[in-house]
Amino acid sequence: MKKILITGAGTGIGKSAAIALSLRGHLVYATTHTDSEAIILNSIGKKLNLPIKSFKLDITNPIDRNIVTSLNLDVLINNAAIGDSGSIAEINIENLKKVFETNVFSTIELTQLVLKQMIKNNSGKIIFISSLLGKTIYPFLCPYASSKFALECIALSLREELNELNNNNIQVTMIEPGAYNTGFNQKNIYKQFTWMKNKSYFKNKINYLKRKHLNYFSKIEVKSTSSIVDEYIKAVESKKVKRRYIAPKSQGVYVKIKQIIGL
């Protein structure tokens, strides 16, 4: 049994992963963005008699982040993230800052707090949830994708840096989910149209872009999250983690081919 804290566990893949890990006997601190999400998870845990404890933890809030200092964790899964979208030529910079504040800066600050105890114990595992969008370009999703590009660098840098510690037993890895039918992609896509429909270089193409984006994701999204949840489990339970875990495999191969041919 490992003591695991996973952020952003109130919905989507994070929620599925938290439940799956607790079903395997791990003590899971399944933190959520809202109290209502935590109540639902605790209710599920009680009903199924699972070792899961859920509570609100807003990773952008320093007081909330400090909760982790008393937990002596074996595994931190940096799953919490927000999305945004729109033309990078004109998006309000505050929107972009908000995405990076959550997905990058607050994630680093939480990781640093957990690492203090892990370095003291010389044991632990840090898992960053990136995205296949952190490895390839998709127009008008740059506000979200660029934050995941940043996490790719952060995770790999931290991995190499910790290896410079003597007898280091702290492992760092990434999970790169592709497109799953959780509603996150659609919510992310629609954000751009709240302002681009009123004033944008692309105002006359709004309906076309909306159809294009939604049709694309409706074609590639995988309905079941089981394949990516399996990667969460592998990353947590492997004695020696890989640099990255990817699912769906077919989407990972597609992105790899795009990288090879320079797209």
Side-chain angles (χ1 to χ4, degrees):
M1 185 193 77
K2 297 182 183 298
K3 288 198 291 184
I4 304 165
L5 186 138
I6 176 170
T7 61
T11 60
I13 295 171
K15 182 178 181 179
S16 298
I19 294 170
L21 288 165
S22 65
L23 281 167
R24 295 178 67 84
H26 301 294
L27 172 57
V28 180
Y29 297 106
T31 71
T32 63
H33 188 63
T34 66
D35 289 319
S36 59
E37 291 170 343
I39 290 171
I40 291 171
L41 266 174
N42 282 322
S43 175
I44 293 171
K46 184 176 181 180
K47 181 178 180 180
L48 299 178
N49 194 29
L50 299 176
I52 188 169
K53 299 180 180 180
S54 187
F55 52 89
K56 176 181 173 293
L57 193 159
D58 178 355
I59 66 171
T60 66
N61 185 321
I63 296 175
D64 282 8
R65 288 198 301 266
N66 277 327
I67 295 172
V68 305
T69 60
S70 63
L71 298 180
N72 198 22
L73 301 169
D74 298 307
V75 181
L76 169 64
I77 304 178
N78 285 309
N79 180 80
I82 63 172
D84 210 331
S85 57
S87 162
I88 203 67
E90 56 193 341
I91 189 171
N92 188 319
I93 198 66
E94 294 303 320
N95 291 25
L96 202 57
K97 286 180 180 179
K98 185 176 180 181
V99 173
F100 272 73
E101 182 61 40
T102 300
N103 298 2
V104 180
F105 305 133
S106 295
T107 294
I108 292 174
E109 290 182 284
L110 184 70
T111 299
Q112 289 177 341
L113 287 173
V114 173
L115 273 173
K116 287 183 179 180
Q117 188 66 49
M118 287 186 175
I119 290 174
K120 181 179 178 181
N121 297 338
N122 192 23
S123 177
K125 193 175 287 184
I126 304 291
I127 301 172
F128 291 91
I129 308 304
S130 179
S131 170
L132 285 178
L133 278 177
K135 301 175 71 174
T136 189
I137 302 300
Y138 188 86
F140 297 95
L141 289 186
C142 178
Y144 171 73
S146 59
S147 71
K148 295 301 186 176
F149 267 85
L151 275 187
E152 294 274 327
C153 176
I154 290 162
L156 293 178
S157 295
L158 179 61
R159 179 185 172 101
E160 296 302 316
E161 290 165 4
L162 291 176
N163 284 337
E164 294 297 327
L165 295 176
N166 293 331
N167 301 314
N168 172 56
N169 288 311
I170 303 168
Q171 300 187 63
V172 180
T173 188
M174 284 183 295
I175 299 175
E176 297 170 341
Y180 286 87
N181 186 17
T182 64
F184 180 85
N185 294 318
Q186 288 72 22
K187 184 179 179 181
N188 194 9
I189 289 167
Y190 271 108
K191 285 187 176 182
Q192 63 193 296
F193 302 123
T194 60
W195 56 270
M196 286 177 67
K197 67 182 180 182
N198 298 319
K199 184 180 179 181
S200 170
Y201 301 129
F202 307 91
K203 183 178 179 180
N204 294 332
K205 301 192 73 174
I206 293 300
N207 290 332
Y208 161 75
L209 290 172
K210 189 181 296 185
R211 289 194 305 271
K212 179 182 177 181
H213 297 335
L214 294 175
N215 287 341
Y216 174 77
F217 280 97
S218 69
K219 290 177 182 178
I220 70 168
E221 281 184 337
V222 176
K223 290 184 178 180
S224 171
T225 60
S226 60
S227 60
I228 191 62
V229 169
D230 285 345
E231 301 305 309
Y232 278 67
I233 293 169
K234 291 175 188 175
V236 166
E237 297 184 351
S238 295
K239 290 185 178 180
K240 185 173 179 60
V241 297
K242 301 188 296 185
R243 287 166 67 91
R244 49 174 56 88
Y245 295 83
I246 301 171
K249 299 299 183 186
S250 59
Q251 293 181 22
V253 170
Y254 173 70
V255 169
K256 187 66 175 178
I257 292 172
K258 286 183 66 176
Q259 291 178 313
I260 291 172
I261 63 179
L263 294 178

